[in-house]
Amino acid sequence: MRVMIDLCIVPVGVGVSVSKYVAACQHVLTSAGLTPHLHAYGTTVEGEWDAVFAAVKACHEKVHEMGAPRISTTIKAGTRTDRTQTPEQKVESVQRKL
Amino acid sequence: MRVMIDLCIVPVGVGVSVSKYVAACQHVLTSAGLTPHLHAYGTTVEGEWDAVFAAVKACHEKVHEMGAPRISTTIKAGTRTDRTQTPEQKVESVQRKL
Amino acid sequence: MRVMIDLCIVPVGVGVSVSKYVAACQHVLTSAGLTPHLHAYGTTVEGEWDAVFAAVKACHEKVHEMGAPRISTTIKAGTRTDRTQTPEQKVESVQRKL
Amino acid sequence: MRVMIDLCIVPVGVGVSVSKYVAACQHVLTSAGLTPHLHAYGTTVEGEWDAVFAAVKACHEKVHEMGAPRISTTIKAGTRTDRTQTPEQKVESVQRKL
């Protein structure tokens, strides 16, 4: 089962600057063979369910290793059986209608 | 790694009534050995990361089997290394301060 | 337009314990004439759109006043034109199918 | 108070294709004087709190007018008192650390 997720990881208890943790997660996702699409409020990733969520877990482990005692993450996850659609195709589908 | 999640699964393409899909997911979560805490806008589940996310995947599979061609899910996921806390303890911690 | 929201406010930059901020928001919501339904991963509130989102703004203002330099909030918001449904009715609708 | 939000509006009860509703919301946001940043799993918008949430309400009204009986929306909302930061600056802040 393919899944597209939008991942927003917020480390809590390490001050207000979170960009170094987000950058570390980009590396974790890339190392997992995924292609992260970074945007201003999260990262979109598409792939097989198990691979994607194993990478999300690896992000949590990495951010804890970097010193964050608590992490508050928001994930949107979409699956569909009618067709496949990449992140780029989702954006194009809207842009054609603008 | 323990995780507490809040899970809100929205089947898309099967009309406006989603309660039967939510009910089916309660069974999936219980069958997985987890204790779902149902509330008006989702379900809170606590457990080991792999068990919890395997159950979320099983919910998606079940809802697709029931006929939903598309699912849009929102998950909040919290992990912490400083202490353990159950869903009940989180609520009590706030209520003591009211 | 009525709206039901699920509100999860995470203060960032003030350490790992967030329960006193959540408790303060319960007071803000109640003072606004709303009935917050606290659960382990957020608070469900139902009411007129403008009143509900004015109260969410007041929560952000309150949490900043209490010293949080940054707030990361997740809101789920549902509106429907086919019927009205309270938080209690949403839960009952699922429980009848269990 | 400035706010940056990530907005993901899912119309329910109108089939699986949601791109025309998302496109209509881009017009609503632009008409409100805001600059929507569309990505594969939502739209990022930055501005004054009242203007931003009035535009989100207008999106719900528009999507209902287009025929959707039910809408399930997820919003991430960030405010901060320590500094201002545009969506572009948030992305650059991460990219500099990659």
Side-chain angles (χ1 to χ4, degrees):
Chain A
M1 184 167 55
R2 306 290 289 183
V3 66
M4 193 185 300
I5 70 163
D6 194 73
L7 177 65
C8 179
I9 289 181
V10 178
V12 176
V14 286
V16 293
S17 183
V18 304
S19 55
K20 76 173 176 180
Y21 302 94
V22 176
C25 290
Q26 304 299 303
H27 286 300
V28 170
L29 295 167
T30 304
S31 300
L34 301 166
T35 305
H37 298 259
L38 177 69
H39 59 84
Y41 227 127
T43 299
T44 305
V45 184
E46 197 268 343
E48 283 297 314
W49 182 287
D50 291 346
V52 168
F53 280 96
V56 174
K57 182 186 180 186
C59 288
H60 270 245
E61 291 170 337
K62 178 68 180 176
V63 172
H64 281 309
E65 277 171 31
M66 292 171 74
R70 189 171 186 174
I71 303 173
S72 176
T73 288
T74 303
I75 302 167
K76 288 179 283 192
T79 57
R80 55 196 306 178
T81 55
D82 57 334
R83 56 181 291 201
T84 58
Q85 198 178 29
T86 65
E88 292 84 354
Q89 288 168 334
K90 279 189 77 177
V91 171
E92 286 160 15
S93 175
V94 173
Q95 286 175 332
R96 275 196 306 274
K97 295 178 178 70
L98 289 179
Chain B
M1 183 168 54
R2 305 290 289 182
V3 66
M4 193 184 303
I5 70 163
D6 193 73
L7 176 66
C8 180
I9 289 182
V10 178
V12 176
V14 287
V16 293
S17 183
V18 305
S19 54
K20 75 172 177 181
Y21 303 94
V22 177
C25 290
Q26 303 299 305
H27 286 300
V28 169
L29 295 167
T30 305
S31 299
L34 301 166
T35 305
H37 298 260
L38 177 68
H39 60 83
Y41 226 129
T43 300
T44 305
V45 185
E46 195 268 343
E48 283 298 314
W49 181 288
D50 291 346
V52 167
F53 280 97
V56 174
K57 182 187 181 187
C59 288
H60 270 245
E61 291 170 337
K62 177 68 179 175
V63 172
H64 282 310
E65 276 171 31
M66 292 171 73
R70 189 170 187 175
I71 303 172
S72 176
T73 289
T74 304
I75 301 166
K76 288 178 284 192
T79 56
R80 55 197 306 178
T81 54
D82 57 335
R83 57 181 289 203
T84 59
Q85 198 178 30
T86 66
E88 292 83 356
Q89 288 168 333
K90 278 188 76 178
V91 171
E92 286 160 15
S93 174
V94 173
Q95 286 175 333
R96 275 196 304 275
K97 295 180 178 70
L98 290 179
Chain C
M1 185 166 56
R2 305 291 289 184
V3 66
M4 193 184 301
I5 70 164
D6 194 72
L7 176 66
C8 180
I9 290 182
V10 178
V12 177
V14 286
V16 293
S17 181
V18 304
S19 54
K20 73 173 177 179
Y21 303 94
V22 177
C25 290
Q26 304 299 304
H27 287 299
V28 169
L29 295 168
T30 304
S31 299
L34 300 166
T35 305
H37 298 259
L38 177 69
H39 59 83
Y41 226 128
T43 300
T44 305
V45 185
E46 196 267 343
E48 283 297 314
W49 181 288
D50 290 346
V52 167
F53 280 96
V56 175
K57 182 186 180 186
C59 288
H60 270 245
E61 290 170 336
K62 178 68 180 175
V63 172
H64 281 310
E65 276 171 31
M66 292 172 72
R70 189 171 187 175
I71 303 172
S72 176
T73 289
T74 305
I75 302 168
K76 290 178 282 193
T79 56
R80 55 195 308 178
T81 54
D82 56 336
R83 57 181 291 203
T84 58
Q85 199 178 28
T86 65
E88 292 84 356
Q89 288 168 334
K90 280 188 76 176
V91 171
E92 286 160 15
S93 175
V94 173
Q95 286 175 332
R96 275 196 305 275
K97 296 179 178 71
L98 289 178
Chain D
M1 183 168 56
R2 306 292 289 184
V3 65
M4 193 184 302
I5 70 164
D6 194 73
L7 177 66
C8 180
I9 289 182
V10 178
V12 176
V14 287
V16 292
S17 183
V18 304
S19 54
K20 75 172 176 179
Y21 302 94
V22 176
C25 290
Q26 304 299 305
H27 286 300
V28 169
L29 295 167
T30 305
S31 300
L34 301 165
T35 305
H37 298 259
L38 177 69
H39 59 82
Y41 226 128
T43 300
T44 306
V45 185
E46 196 268 343
E48 283 297 314
W49 181 287
D50 291 345
V52 167
F53 280 97
V56 174
K57 183 188 181 186
C59 288
H60 270 244
E61 290 170 335
K62 178 68 179 176
V63 172
H64 281 310
E65 276 171 31
M66 291 172 74
R70 190 171 186 174
I71 304 172
S72 176
T73 289
T74 304
I75 302 167
K76 288 178 283 192
T79 56
R80 54 196 308 177
T81 54
D82 56 335
R83 57 182 291 205
T84 58
Q85 198 177 29
T86 66
E88 292 84 355
Q89 287 168 334
K90 279 188 77 177
V91 171
E92 286 160 15
S93 175
V94 174
Q95 286 176 332
R96 273 196 306 274
K97 296 179 177 70
L98 289 179

